Amino acid sequence: MKIAVQTEPFDLAAEVAALYRANPKVGAVASFLGITRDENDGHAIQGMHLEHYPGMTERALKRIAEEAMTRWPLIDLTVIHRVGALKPTDPIVLVAVAAAHRGDAFAACQFIMDYLKTQAPFWKKEATAEGDRWVDARASDDAAAARWNVK
Amino acid sequence: MKIAVQTEPFDLAAEVAALYRANPKVGAVASFLGITRDENDGHAIQGMHLEHYPGMTERALKRIAEEAMTRWPLIDLTVIHRVGALKPTDPIVLVAVAAAHRGDAFAACQFIMDYLKTQAPFWKKEATAEGDRWVDARASDDAAAARWNVK
Amino acid sequence: MKLRVLYFARLREALGVAEENLELPAGIDTAGALVDWLRARGGVWAEQLGPEKAYRTAVNQDLAGPQTPLNDGDEVALFPPVTGG
Amino acid sequence: MKLRVLYFARLREALGVAEENLELPAGIDTAGALVDWLRARGGVWAEQLGPEKAYRTAVNQDLAGPQTPLNDGDEVALFPPVTGG
């Protein structure tokens, strides 16, 4: 299990390969890449700054990942979240989950993203032509997390 | 939209990057990698041969991909399925789906895999210590496809 | 009616044929009727296409059912349930 | 009771403080009571921590609710709903 919070880019191919190359029991890797868009709610986005709560972020991600390992028969997983300055088309987050079968890998990958979106202390501030603005939380993210019925 | 059936390995990072690097509207890429395992139903697997129906495979994959594009607001997607000789830890299939938001990307990626598993004409023949054996279709794959209620 | 018929995977191996060109008698004009006609060859054909055996048909590279009509020049395929991915 | 209190993102900017060390009067022993006490500072505090404002609390780096107890030396954080991913 790898959890990382970093300013540097990550290497998708290397991270996914690390989940299955050494373990021939892995039959499925589901992965999610979140990417900086150039627009949000109708505003053109020039760039973004991702603030976080050092210490709590790693702790929250680890907790979410361990909960996923408990709920599904997973073999391994990786969560990497970037912080700091990002521009459109820059990857923000990678969640990759390895399991014997695809249903478990898909479910756990979605679960981790839904919980990360509502429980991990990251905040996006977008740079637009009209100035910087903090991104508002989405009700749809709360709804997505609620369907997993944690706690 | 890219659909390919090939004997050669594919480059996960390049395929995923092709879906979002040139399009800053993409906020989410959900992807699935199916990998050759070293065991199946309790049998140790030394390798596998993937047979297909040339012509129909591409046609079936294109049809599944187009159905996904109709059902969800997707930006782009890629399906690559390998055929021929594969050994444990070799990737078999890649499905990668790009969308503005993660819910659509995840749903479409799962949909495509579920349909590919029941509708695309590929057949696996495994090499075991006791000889070669054709892999049996799984009832769980029919059930997974049935929940999307196609046709 | 002339048809090209393809067999794949376990079915190809069991029947010992990958492909054949058939000239069908009048009245054999659906995928189901074709399978019945092939089954009537007896031996491995009766065995492999028996009612307890799972197989699929495709007509012109689309999955087909017993009622799918056949037309002169069609490409028909018989194969086991698929196991890709 | 002594606490370290951290503020993040929009809340940090609006309150103009990233971190402070507090010495709380007796009786302020839950996360909810702490927020009430901070709100009583008035001005931006009353405004930013008002009932119509969405904010979250964490105690020792775990998400907390109004009833979560506070203990001497705890690290408490106040921040807006998270927006990562």
Side-chain angles (χ1 to χ4, degrees):
Chain A
M1 196 168 97
K2 173 178 172 177
I3 306 289
V5 178
Q6 63 189 45
T7 51
E8 305 76 41
F10 47 79
D11 180 336
L12 171 67
E15 297 299 342
V16 169
L19 293 177
Y20 73 82
R21 284 271 167 77
N23 193 333
K25 307 298 173 216
V26 173
V29 179
S31 55
F32 179 81
L33 206 55
I35 296 155
T36 314
R37 292 186 299 148
D38 72 354
E39 64 172 0
N40 189 19
D41 295 334
H43 295 257
I45 305 302
Q46 295 154 344
M48 194 162 70
H49 182 83
L50 250 153
E51 179 171 333
H52 75 126
Y53 179 176
M56 181 173 167
T57 40
E58 292 82 352
R59 190 177 163 86
L61 294 179
K62 188 157 176 278
R63 194 170 176 160
I64 293 163
E66 283 170 349
E67 175 70 22
M69 296 287 275
T70 306
R71 290 191 175 212
W72 292 278
L74 308 179
I75 294 172
D76 201 359
L77 67 83
T78 291
V79 179
I80 304 177
H81 203 297
R82 292 176 70 190
V83 292
L86 296 169
K87 57 183 197 312
T89 78
D90 280 347
I92 304 166
V93 62
L94 168 67
V95 175
V97 178
H101 301 291
R102 75 185 186 286
D104 298 320
F106 270 123
C109 189
Q110 260 185 293
F111 169 86
I112 292 170
M113 274 310 300
D114 287 346
Y115 265 83
L116 185 157
K117 282 266 185 187
T118 56
Q119 310 244 325
F122 295 99
W123 301 274
K124 287 174 179 165
K125 191 177 196 178
E126 295 170 341
T128 75
E130 307 95 60
D132 292 356
R133 55 171 224 145
W134 289 102
V135 174
D136 285 323
R138 289 174 188 272
S140 62
D141 285 330
D142 288 331
R147 74 197 155 124
W148 300 103
N149 194 31
V150 166
K151 277 195 304 270
Chain B
M1 196 167 97
K2 173 178 173 176
I3 305 288
V5 178
Q6 62 190 45
T7 52
E8 305 77 39
F10 46 79
D11 180 338
L12 171 67
E15 297 300 340
V16 169
L19 292 178
Y20 73 82
R21 284 272 168 75
N23 194 333
K25 306 298 173 217
V26 173
V29 179
S31 55
F32 178 81
L33 206 55
I35 297 156
T36 314
R37 293 187 298 148
D38 70 355
E39 62 172 1
N40 189 19
D41 294 335
H43 295 259
I45 305 303
Q46 296 156 344
M48 194 163 71
H49 182 83
L50 251 154
E51 179 171 333
H52 74 126
Y53 179 176
M56 182 173 167
T57 41
E58 293 81 352
R59 190 176 163 88
L61 295 178
K62 187 158 177 278
R63 193 168 175 160
I64 293 164
E66 283 170 349
E67 174 71 21
M69 297 287 277
T70 305
R71 290 192 175 211
W72 291 278
L74 309 179
I75 294 172
D76 201 359
L77 67 84
T78 291
V79 179
I80 304 177
H81 203 297
R82 291 175 69 190
V83 292
L86 296 169
K87 56 182 195 315
T89 78
D90 280 347
I92 304 166
V93 62
L94 168 68
V95 175
V97 178
H101 302 291
R102 76 185 184 287
D104 299 320
F106 270 124
C109 190
Q110 262 186 292
F111 169 87
I112 291 170
M113 274 309 301
D114 288 347
Y115 265 84
L116 184 158
K117 282 267 185 185
T118 56
Q119 310 246 323
F122 295 99
W123 301 274
K124 288 174 178 165
K125 191 177 197 177
E126 295 171 340
T128 76
E130 306 94 62
D132 291 355
R133 55 171 222 146
W134 289 101
V135 174
D136 283 324
R138 289 174 188 272
S140 61
D141 286 330
D142 288 330
R147 71 195 158 126
W148 299 104
N149 195 28
V150 166
K151 275 200 305 274
Chain C
M1 178 162 63
K2 289 178 177 177
L3 293 181
R4 185 171 170 231
V5 184
L6 310 176
Y7 305 92
F8 290 97
R10 192 203 304 265
L11 212 51
R12 172 176 49 75
E13 286 188 351
L15 298 174
V17 55
E19 181 177 338
E20 55 182 335
N21 290 300
L22 298 181
E23 176 110 32
L24 293 184
I28 310 298
D29 55 5
T30 63
L34 170 65
V35 172
D36 292 342
W37 187 79
L38 291 169
R39 190 184 298 116
R41 287 171 166 180
V44 289
W45 296 87
E47 181 195 303
Q48 291 297 321
L49 301 175
E52 79 292 351
K53 287 283 187 177
Y55 56 84
R56 301 284 182 269
T57 56
V59 174
N60 296 328
Q61 306 191 347
D62 282 325
L63 284 177
Q67 306 308 321
T68 304
L70 299 179
N71 291 293
D72 191 56
D74 281 353
E75 175 178 302
V76 180
L78 274 74
F79 45 77
V82 305
T83 56
Chain D
M1 179 161 64
K2 290 179 176 176
L3 294 180
R4 185 170 171 234
V5 184
L6 310 176
Y7 306 92
F8 290 97
R10 192 204 305 264
L11 212 51
R12 171 176 51 72
E13 285 188 352
L15 298 173
V17 55
E19 182 177 339
E20 56 182 336
N21 290 301
L22 297 181
E23 177 111 32
L24 292 184
I28 310 297
D29 55 4
T30 63
L34 171 65
V35 172
D36 291 342
W37 187 79
L38 291 169
R39 190 185 298 116
R41 287 171 166 178
V44 287
W45 297 87
E47 182 194 301
Q48 290 297 321
L49 302 175
E52 78 292 350
K53 286 284 186 177
Y55 56 85
R56 300 285 181 268
T57 56
V59 174
N60 296 327
Q61 306 191 350
D62 281 327
L63 285 176
Q67 307 307 320
T68 304
L70 299 179
N71 293 292
D72 191 57
D74 280 354
E75 175 177 304
V76 181
L78 275 75
F79 46 77
V82 306
T83 55

